[in-house]
Amino acid sequence: MPLDDELHAHLSRFDTAPFLFVGSGMSRRYLGTEDWEALLRHFAAYTGKPYERYRADSAGDLPHVASAIAESFREQWWEAKEFAASRELFPEPLDRYSPLKIEVARRMQAAMKRVPKEGALFEEMQLMKAAVVEGVITTNYDPLLDEIFDDFAVYAGQDELLFSHPQGVGEIYMIHGSASKPETLVLTHEDYRHFKERNEYLAAKLLTIFVEHPVIFLGYSLSDKNIQEIIQNIAKILSTENLHKLQDRLIFVQWKSDAVSHPSAELSSPSKVFRSRLFL
């Protein structure tokens, strides 16, 4: 059975439309953005130190790498003429990590110039725009999803989601922050520590979505630690019976390099070791 037919058959078993949970693979596909390490490497080049030094000093831990680069980068940001426009736009950065967040955000905003206007990728975006989805959750910074679902309300960062009153319909939850609000970005070690401290509160906020809707993961690897932590925190709240129900609602769509027209999708348990895989 073709991918679209079997996926449609599976989604038809539920009374509610799906939520999308979107990762960086989507932005790389449609905007040509870098992965996280390549993004950090780009900004390390401004500091006069090789990226490899930051990586070695941080034992390969990318949030720590980001913190170290941010410490060095801020000196350049305050002095260099090429960042004068940024200093004018953001004259009062929040802290020493803000300059890097500001420039990461501006780079993500600039990537929107590469949004496809024609061809196969444009047609894919139009199909996604026409899809019936209840809402979107994402760890991406860029506004691609805001453009695709342009009538959805956007919540940027944990604070807006935790301390607002989202309706759960027609909304985009940018849980790692938005390029439109640089200070909301989850980028450094300190950001991730703060994010994880409140992860259980976020899981409780997302619980209704995961229990009542099928959730389709796009642009993520099954080994993504951020996704595993969110699912594990949700799993802690649920009874064994509801865990079995949740298992059937999680759909992981993964690109296979040897598949020209048929990516794979996996339905997985919310446990640490993903089980019950169905390849569509």
Side-chain angles (χ1 to χ4, degrees):
M1 183 183 294
L3 170 63
D4 52 353
D5 291 343
E6 193 158 355
L7 183 58
H8 181 268
H10 185 78
L11 293 175
S12 297
R13 296 161 52 191
F14 303 103
D15 297 328
T16 53
F19 258 72
L20 302 182
F21 207 133
V22 179
S24 61
M26 286 282 291
S27 298
R28 290 199 295 272
R29 181 171 180 81
Y30 297 107
L31 300 180
T33 55
E34 306 104 324
D35 62 22
W36 191 14
E37 189 161 26
L39 183 66
L40 294 177
R41 185 182 293 275
H42 170 81
F43 286 104
Y46 288 98
T47 70
K49 300 176 185 178
Y51 172 78
E52 288 72 19
R53 177 175 174 177
Y54 291 109
R55 199 177 196 285
D57 289 348
S58 303
D61 183 82
L62 294 185
H64 277 101
V65 172
S67 294
I69 292 173
E71 288 280 7
S72 300
F73 179 78
R74 65 190 174 96
E75 300 293 338
Q76 289 293 320
W77 190 83
W78 281 109
E79 302 296 335
K81 290 182 179 180
E82 62 188 295
F83 301 119
S86 294
R87 294 194 297 271
E88 189 171 330
L89 285 171
F90 302 96
E92 298 181 0
L94 183 63
D95 57 36
R96 64 187 185 276
Y97 303 120
S98 297
L100 180 60
K101 291 184 183 181
I102 289 167
E103 296 310 319
V104 167
R106 296 197 72 188
R107 190 167 179 82
M108 294 297 104
Q109 295 275 26
M112 291 299 293
K113 297 176 182 177
R114 300 193 292 271
V115 172
K117 302 297 183 184
E118 59 183 5
L121 293 180
F122 173 76
E123 292 174 6
E124 287 179 9
M125 289 177 58
Q126 294 305 110
L127 288 171
M128 188 177 299
K129 189 181 185 72
V132 178
V133 298
E134 290 286 297
V136 182
I137 307 164
T138 184
T139 51
N140 295 348
Y141 306 142
D142 62 76
L144 174 65
L145 294 167
D146 192 14
E147 174 152 318
I148 294 174
F149 302 102
D150 54 10
D151 57 342
F152 282 22
V154 178
Y155 292 82
Q158 271 184 317
D159 284 347
E160 284 195 9
L161 180 55
L162 293 176
F163 299 107
S164 300
H165 300 284
Q167 303 302 306
V169 178
E171 296 170 336
I172 300 172
Y173 307 140
M174 303 185 73
I175 61 176
H176 277 185
S178 169
S180 65
K181 299 177 180 179
E183 300 290 6
T184 67
L185 299 191
V186 177
L187 179 65
T188 66
H189 169 69
E190 291 72 18
D191 296 327
Y192 274 93
R193 182 179 62 193
H194 185 58
F195 182 86
K196 289 178 181 179
E197 286 172 353
R198 299 188 295 173
N199 224 355
E200 292 187 7
Y201 296 103
L202 176 64
K205 199 80 172 183
L206 298 178
L207 179 61
T208 301
I209 293 171
F210 277 70
V211 169
E212 295 184 354
H213 300 269
V215 180
I216 302 175
F217 291 80
L218 300 171
Y220 286 108
S221 164
L222 282 173
S223 61
D224 189 290
K225 292 182 179 179
N226 293 315
I227 296 304
Q228 288 192 5
E229 285 183 5
I230 290 172
I231 294 175
Q232 288 164 20
N233 283 324
I234 290 174
K236 291 177 185 178
I237 305 172
L238 296 175
S239 65
T240 302
E241 180 182 353
N242 284 330
L243 273 176
H244 288 301
K245 293 179 181 178
L246 181 63
Q247 174 178 309
D248 207 34
R249 294 176 181 271
L250 303 186
I251 303 168
F252 289 83
V253 178
Q254 292 189 287
W255 175 254
K256 294 175 65 175
S257 59
D258 59 344
V260 176
S261 59
H262 298 288
S264 68
E266 297 185 348
L267 309 187
S268 304
S269 157
S271 62
K272 185 175 182 180
V273 179
F274 294 99
R275 303 188 301 269
S276 303
R277 296 180 178 180
L278 170 63
F279 290 87
L280 302 180

